[in-house]
Amino acid sequence: MSSTVDTIRHEVARGGHGTLVVVFSTLPDALNRNASLELYASEALARLLDVKVARTSASLARETVLALKPALVIGIGSVVPDHVDYAAVARACRRVQAPLVYWLHDDPYEFDYNWKIEGGCDWIFTSDRATIDFYRTSAVSHLPLAADVTRHFRPIVPIRERGTDVFFCGVGYPNRRTVVSTIRDVLRACATEIRGDGWDERLPFCRNERLSPEAMIDRYAAARIVLNIGRQFNIGNRQYDLVPSTPGPRLFEAAAAGCVQAAFLESVELFDYFARDTEILAFSSVGEFADIVDHVRGDPDAATALADRAQARARAEHTYDHRMLAMLDVLQRNRLFNPAGAAARSEDKTHG
């Protein structure tokens, strides 16, 4: 057994008794640009229940499952890499009688790779609602991403006291560059900052600079308006050429930070999470975006009230605690995992 798994076993033992859940990132560490999502989910589980959570990597998932004999195994991320043996993880889970579920956060952009786990796990949670009907299995549920209660919430600074007019952080995918180019004249007239990778730095407000997750949230909280532009970048979406419907995690993170978001409208599902005009603003043309900027600058008190409502909605409905509760509810209703009865079974497997 590797020393890394020994370390995981030691940390779990220090936690005392309780149901054991293994959470692993489905991507190798070197390729995982969203490792924080697995951390947020793991911490939410530990907060919610009498659960000990052992976090591990894709390369050590099989070994960790066999060593710790958990009551539940959750894989979070993407299943694109060919050098991760997801079938071996499934075999290990069957051997120790642990339900295996996945929470995939890159549907539909990588949907064509999901054959690697379909039929080899007990349930799939997808972050995109429009993708559900295209799975071959009925054991699939929609579970959007969210905000983290300990890292994304910030005290709300009145809009009139914020120094940046418009802020955006993210990769400059072609669709995002198109939107920014379309509204560039409005952005030039504001104190605008766009950060990330792949941007045209000939635009005075663009800089190819990667921010840490904490720094990004701080910049959100210091901006009057946060742009929300979803990505359209397919890695494996040829089979059905699916169009995403569910917004990504930045929607919930920016709301938690206490922001007025101006979302480029691509799906009305957006308004299932935040109410239009009272918790979020949306645009689909240059004129609508210019109106948003004028409104926020002209009535900063109303804008602050909107940011406050958005943050309250995020706190009440859109944290990783809420998402993990929803996941556990699905698993319990389908008799895959019962937190109340799993502790004894986990102890029996460990000592048996």
Side-chain angles (χ1 to χ4, degrees), residues 5-205:
V5 174
D6 282 337
T7 300
I8 294 171
R9 184 198 286 273
H10 176 68
E11 289 299 318
V12 168
R14 288 177 58 193
H17 299 287
T19 303
L20 175 60
V21 177
V22 166
V23 178
F24 72 96
S25 170
T26 58
L27 279 169
D29 293 341
L31 300 176
N32 194 358
R33 298 180 67 175
N34 287 303
S36 55
L37 302 183
E38 172 254 330
L39 173 63
Y40 303 154
S42 298
E43 291 181 346
L45 272 176
R47 279 192 298 269
L48 291 168
L49 302 170
D50 179 22
V51 167
K52 295 182 297 182
V53 179
R55 296 175 56 222
T56 190
S57 63
S59 60
L60 291 174
R62 173 188 173 277
E63 194 175 357
T64 302
V65 168
L66 292 175
L68 300 184
K69 300 179 176 63
L72 175 66
V73 179
I74 305 172
I76 298 177
S78 159
V79 292
V80 168
D82 289 332
H83 52 284
V84 176
D85 193 345
Y86 301 105
V89 177
R91 289 192 296 271
C93 290
R94 287 195 295 270
R95 182 172 171 181
V96 303
Q97 299 180 328
L100 171 62
V101 305
Y102 284 93
W103 188 8
L104 302 181
H105 60 55
D106 279 314
D107 274 343
Y109 314 108
E110 301 174 359
F111 182 81
D112 293 353
Y113 291 91
N114 292 347
W115 61 266
K116 296 180 180 181
I117 60 170
E118 278 195 278
C121 64
D122 296 284
W123 209 272
I124 294 172
F125 295 88
T126 172
S127 63
D128 186 64
R129 182 185 291 168
T131 306
I132 287 180
D133 291 339
F134 295 87
Y135 277 91
R136 292 189 296 267
T137 177
S138 59
V140 59
S141 299
H142 177 224
L143 193 66
L145 296 171
D148 180 67
V149 295
T150 63
R151 295 173 179 84
H152 295 147
F153 286 85
R154 296 288 188 274
I156 291 183
V157 176
I159 293 297
R160 65 175 69 251
E161 297 177 13
R162 304 189 192 192
T164 303
D165 285 324
V166 181
F167 180 75
F168 179 83
C169 183
V171 176
Y173 293 115
N175 69 298
R176 289 174 172 171
R177 294 198 300 268
T178 297
V179 172
V180 167
S181 178
T182 301
I183 61 174
R184 64 184 181 274
D185 290 341
V186 181
L187 296 176
R188 279 196 183 105
C190 302
T192 299
E193 294 182 4
I194 292 180
R195 301 293 181 263
D197 295 323
W199 292 101
D200 182 357
E201 291 190 327
R202 290 174 297 180
L203 292 172
F205 45 78

Side-chain angles (χ1 to χ4, degrees), residues 152-351:
H152 295 147
F153 286 85
R154 296 288 188 274
I156 291 183
V157 176
I159 293 297
R160 65 175 69 251
E161 297 177 13
R162 304 189 192 192
T164 303
D165 285 324
V166 181
F167 180 75
F168 179 83
C169 183
V171 176
Y173 293 115
N175 69 298
R176 289 174 172 171
R177 294 198 300 268
T178 297
V179 172
V180 167
S181 178
T182 301
I183 61 174
R184 64 184 181 274
D185 290 341
V186 181
L187 296 176
R188 279 196 183 105
C190 302
T192 299
E193 294 182 4
I194 292 180
R195 301 293 181 263
D197 295 323
W199 292 101
D200 182 357
E201 291 190 327
R202 290 174 297 180
L203 292 172
F205 45 78
C206 290
R207 183 184 304 167
N208 290 313
E209 172 191 7
R210 294 187 65 182
L211 302 179
S212 69
E214 182 179 4
M216 183 183 68
I217 298 299
D218 288 340
R219 298 285 276 276
Y220 280 171
R224 294 187 175 93
I225 298 169
V226 171
L227 265 179
N228 187 298
I229 310 171
R231 69 162 166 141
Q232 293 177 10
F233 188 76
N234 292 322
I235 295 173
N237 187 19
R238 288 187 175 183
Q239 185 176 6
Y240 299 114
D241 193 22
L242 300 174
V243 176
S245 67
T246 304
R250 300 292 180 259
L251 173 76
F252 307 107
E253 295 169 4
C259 298
V260 173
Q261 291 187 75
F264 180 68
L265 187 57
E266 298 173 286
S267 167
V268 294
E269 186 183 323
L270 172 72
F271 306 125
D272 290 347
Y273 309 108
F274 296 97
R276 187 170 194 168
D277 296 333
T278 59
E279 295 173 340
I280 195 165
L281 304 175
F283 69 97
S284 56
S285 69
V286 177
E288 289 175 350
F289 181 69
D291 288 344
I292 288 173
V293 172
D294 289 343
H295 169 69
V296 172
R297 291 165 119 187
D299 195 346
D301 292 338
T304 302
L306 186 149
D308 186 64
R309 289 190 295 269
Q311 186 183 73
R313 181 80 178 268
R315 194 185 302 277
E317 298 181 20
H318 301 309
T319 69
Y320 282 95
D321 295 54
H322 295 105
R323 303 299 187 245
M324 298 315 292
L325 278 173
M327 176 186 287
L328 293 171
D329 179 64
V330 169
L331 299 180
Q332 188 165 1
R333 284 189 286 109
N334 287 278
R335 300 182 179 179
L336 291 171
F337 179 68
N338 181 1
R345 292 196 300 274
S346 183
E347 287 293 310
D348 288 344
K349 287 191 289 184
T350 301
H351 298 297

